[in-house]
């Protein structure tokens, strides 16, 4: 890499040195492809698949949930690919703020920066709070006494991990990536095994619990008490479409986090080569995992199950007990595994922030 080249390939692009603000004295440019893909996947896979999938199943049905994830993944993917093209050409620090400031107006860049910081603060707090609440799975009284303490501990851990240097942070994200991939693939295999009767109870499920779409639209989802046509807010095809579209808006949040790849573009060693691959990785892999995982768990749990998570009815009781995966494991009679899965969900929620 040339000493006077802040982005490593400006001579190849024909960019004049004066047109790019140098940052080689501020950033290490130490992130390789495996680090960047780790940041992409770790930030995207949080609790959306593990807990919120149950909410989507209650609203849109067993097939409606993966359809919602597919549509949301396509929409978010279009945004990520567009940003990646710009970042590969001009990987400067603070890309999401620098681009609107440079190509549109400085005021817009400032506004985007403020909104982006505010949004990330909300996401980090939300994921940390959920991770703390998940600990209530083991000790119900723990939620009311020590949740603020656990939240403070997790936030401190997050801040410390960001002070270790960019290369150590990249390796941490790489490790988290493989742990999360192992978790999701393992859950998918477990759902298939339980479906064909591999659990201790030996019950073959098949498509007994599978309901492709709900009877219509209910903003709180469906349960046994409101599954009749008299309790459907909007029945028929229009209601089913609205149910899926509602889940699409909720599923979009599950795909957030891949934008950190764009923010880290200035730290990439070979941005033009690595960011192109990472752009595909940060939405194609999570989208595939979300679609496959939600479809497989939808085979094993009924959309009317009252234990599933419901956004407008579950008041501050977000624990692993609401996960459709844990509900399936409990129904299969597998001991101890649900506690281990809850710990995995806590880890996933915390590291996504």
């Amino acid at each position: 890499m040339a000493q006077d080249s802040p982005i490593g390939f400006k001579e190849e692009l024909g960019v004049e040195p004066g047109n790019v603000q140098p940052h080689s004295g501020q950033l290490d440019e130490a992130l390789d492809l495996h680090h960047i893909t780790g940041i992409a996947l770790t930030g995207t896979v949080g609790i959306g698949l593990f807990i919120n999938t149950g909410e989507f199943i209650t609203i849109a049905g067993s097939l409606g949930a993966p359809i919602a994830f597919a549509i949301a993944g396509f929409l978010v993917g279009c945004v990520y690919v567009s940003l990646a093209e710009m970042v590969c050409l001009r990987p400067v620090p603070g890309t999401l703020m620098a681009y609107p400031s440079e190509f549109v107006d400085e005021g817009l860049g400032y506004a985007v920066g403020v909104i982006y910081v505010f949004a990330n603060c909300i996401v980090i707090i939300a994921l940390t709070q959920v991770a703390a609440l998940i600990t209530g799975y083991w000790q119900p009284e723990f939620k009311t006494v020590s949740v603020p303490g656990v939240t403070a501990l997790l936030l401190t851990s997050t801040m410390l991990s960001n002070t270790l240097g960019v290369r150590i942070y990249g390796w941490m994200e790489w490790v988290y990536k493989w742990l999360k991939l192992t978790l999701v693939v393992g859950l998918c295999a477990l759902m298939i095994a339980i479906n064909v009767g591999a659990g201790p109870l030996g019950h073959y499920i098949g498509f007994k619990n599978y309901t492709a779409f709900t009877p219509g639209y209910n903003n709180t989802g469906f349960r046994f008490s409101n599954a009749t046509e008299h309790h459907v807010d909007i029945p028929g095809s229009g209601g089913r479409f609205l149910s899926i579209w509602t889940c699409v808006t909720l599923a979009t949040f599950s795909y957030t986090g891949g934008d950190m790849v764009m923010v880290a573009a200035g730290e990439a060693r070979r941005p033009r080569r690595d960011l192109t691959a990472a752009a595909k990785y940060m939405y194609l892999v999570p989208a595939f995992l979300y679609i496959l995982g939600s479809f497989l768990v939808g085979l094993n749990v009924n959309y009317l199950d009252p234990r599933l998570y419901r956004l407008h009815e579950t008041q501050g009781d977000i624990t692993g007990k609401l996960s459709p995966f844990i509900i399936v494991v409990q129904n299969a009679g597998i001991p101890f595994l649900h506690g281990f899965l809850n710990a995995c969900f806590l880890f996933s929620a915390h590291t996504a922030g």
Side-chain angles (χ1 to χ4, degrees), residues 35-297:
H35 301 134
I36 299 173
T37 57
I39 294 173
L41 183 74
T42 301
T44 306
V45 179
I47 62 168
L49 173 62
F50 306 126
I51 294 182
N52 292 345
T53 299
E55 176 189 5
F56 301 160
I57 292 175
T58 65
I59 295 176
S62 300
L63 183 59
I67 289 177
F69 274 123
I71 296 175
F74 172 76
L75 296 176
V76 174
C78 291
V79 176
Y80 282 167
V81 169
S82 299
L83 282 173
E85 290 181 354
M86 299 177 66
V87 171
C88 290
L89 181 65
R90 196 175 181 82
V92 296
T95 52
L96 298 182
M97 290 73 75
Y99 291 159
S101 178
E102 182 172 353
F103 297 116
V104 182
D105 186 80
E106 291 186 1
L108 179 61
Y110 177 80
V112 170
V114 172
I115 294 173
Y116 187 71
V117 170
F118 182 67
N120 275 275
C121 289
I122 293 176
V123 170
I124 292 175
I125 293 297
L127 290 172
T128 304
Q129 182 71 0
V130 169
L133 290 172
I134 287 177
T135 60
Y137 179 88
W138 295 287
Q139 298 179 357
E141 69 278 5
F142 189 72
K143 294 189 301 180
T144 59
V145 177
S146 300
V147 166
V150 175
T151 302
L153 178 64
L154 295 177
L155 284 175
T156 302
S157 173
T158 300
M159 289 187 291
L160 289 177
S161 67
N162 283 272
T163 63
L164 299 178
V166 63
R167 190 163 185 83
I168 296 178
Y169 177 79
W171 278 111
M172 291 172 59
E173 296 293 295
W174 179 80
V175 173
Y176 295 160
K177 174 186 74 173
W178 286 109
L179 290 175
K180 290 189 176 184
L181 280 174
T182 301
L183 173 62
V184 177
V185 172
L187 282 174
C188 291
L190 179 64
M191 293 300 104
I192 295 175
I194 292 176
N195 186 264
V196 299
L201 300 180
H203 293 163
Y204 175 79
I205 300 175
F207 286 87
K208 296 177 182 178
N209 291 327
Y210 186 82
T211 303
F213 301 104
T214 54
Y217 172 75
N218 269 355
N219 66 334
T220 59
F222 289 88
R223 60 174 74 241
F224 290 106
S225 60
N226 69 352
T228 64
E229 60 179 83
H230 300 291
H231 293 85
V232 179
D233 294 340
I234 304 177
S237 300
R240 295 186 185 96
F241 171 79
L242 185 58
S243 297
I244 294 176
W245 194 250
T246 299
C247 292
V248 169
T249 60
L250 296 173
T252 303
F253 179 81
S254 300
Y255 286 98
T256 58
D259 52 281
M260 293 304 299
V261 173
M262 310 304 175
V263 178
E267 296 281 9
R269 190 187 305 274
R270 291 174 291 272
R272 190 176 191 184
R273 187 196 72 176
D274 294 345
L275 291 177
T276 303
K280 300 175 183 178
Y281 193 93
M282 68 188 176
Y283 77 92
L284 285 177
V285 174
F288 174 76
L289 296 177
Y290 280 140
I291 295 169
L292 180 62
S294 59
F295 173 77
L296 291 176
V297 76

Side-chain angles (χ1 to χ4, degrees), residues 318-333:
I318 303 176
T319 71
K321 297 177 182 178
L322 301 173
S323 169
F325 294 95
I326 288 184
I327 292 174
V328 171
V329 168
Q330 291 174 334
N331 291 343

